[in-house]
Amino acid sequence: MKTILDFQKKKANGQKITMITCYDSSFAQLISQSQVDAILVGDSLAQVMHGHKTTLQASTNLMALHTAAVVRAASGQFVVADMPFMSTRKGLKNSMDQVEKLMKAGANAIKIEGADGHIQLIQHIVESGVPVMGHLGLTPQSIHQLGGPKIQGKNEAAALKISNDALALQKAGCFSLVLECVPTSLASHITSQLSIPTIGIGAGAETDGQILVLQDMLGMNKNFNPKFLKKFMEGADLITEALNSYVTEVQTKKFPTKEQSYE
Ligand code: KIV
């Protein structure tokens, strides 16, 4: 998948879209050898790569640095970069400067959380030739306003608001929409009412595609076990085992052998 047209084609053909987050060159290289359709350089990098408790600490410069690292190794794949906390809230010129930084770092598109106060901005970004991915439901940049990482759209009014926001984002020109932590029935309803593809995380199986945080699906963090997550391998165990084997072999002089030494 290389362009937004491929997203559209997949929805039209009823083929699921697969996305994964990535923040660095070494994983980007592995992903580019896989069948995953597209990469998100998510602001979740503030947590996964930099150890912060929330995504609020990500800055545009940090996002651009990680985006460039990913693009260098995944040059053939479609890469979306997140607009971080507050980067869209300080006026049009400032927002456009942030968009420019991410696109010049090599992103093919940007993602913006939430619809309120963003509709005109999204129209302007799209009119400037930059594809925009929307993001509704649990929007982690608003974690304090939402009262924590909770399922969104559970009552009728909240579901209607998300549903209307989805339509507004499509009208503004978004090429795709992430739905995070919403009931399956709501995600399914939004998916059927939109012509642009929906990408779900914690939104059930009816969305047009799925996205997961790479380190989460690789099982790198034993203490992170939300209901929506499936660990496709137990990475934490495998890596700890490898590290301990290395320690044992160094201590017992099994490594390095002649094979790994220069005569
Ligand atoms: O930052 C991120 O990783 C995201 C995905 C969870 C959708 O926004």
Side-chain angles (χ1 to χ4, degrees), residues 2 32 70-79 108:
K2 290 196 179 82
S32 68
V70 167
V71 168
R72 257 175 240 131
S75 52
Q77 285 196 309
F78 193 83
V79 177
N108 302 115

Side-chain angles (χ1 to χ4, degrees), residues 21 23 40 42-44 55 82 111 113 135 178 180 201 211 213:
T21 67
Y23 321 110
L40 171 70
D43 60 355
S44 50
T55 61
D82 253 340
K111 175 164 79 60
E113 285 189 12
H135 184 160
V178 168
E180 179 165 353
I201 173 165
I211 183 164
V213 169

Side-chain angles (χ1 to χ4, degrees), residues 94-107:
N94 184 271
S95 301
M96 294 309 289
D97 287 344
Q98 316 305 312
V99 172
E100 188 176 357
K101 272 187 195 173
L102 296 180
M103 294 305 285
K104 284 188 173 164

Side-chain angles (χ1 to χ4, degrees), residues 20-36 38-41 49 66-79 214-215 218:
I20 202 80
T21 67
C22 181
Y23 321 110
D24 67 272
S25 285
S26 59
F27 270 125
Q29 199 181 1
L30 290 175
I31 293 167
S32 68
Q33 289 160 22
S34 77
Q35 292 166 354
V36 168
I39 289 173
L40 171 70
V41 185
M49 301 302 284
H66 284 278
T67 300
V70 167
V71 168
R72 257 175 240 131
S75 52
Q77 285 196 309
F78 193 83
V79 177
L214 177 65
Q215 281 78 357
L218 294 180

Side-chain angles (χ1 to χ4, degrees), residues 218-234:
L218 294 180
M220 302 291 233
N221 184 350
K222 284 186 99 62
N223 299 320
F224 187 64
N225 299 295
K227 181 176 165 64
F228 69 78
L229 177 62
K230 176 169 177 179
K231 295 182 178 176
F232 288 81
M233 69 180 240
E234 292 298 335

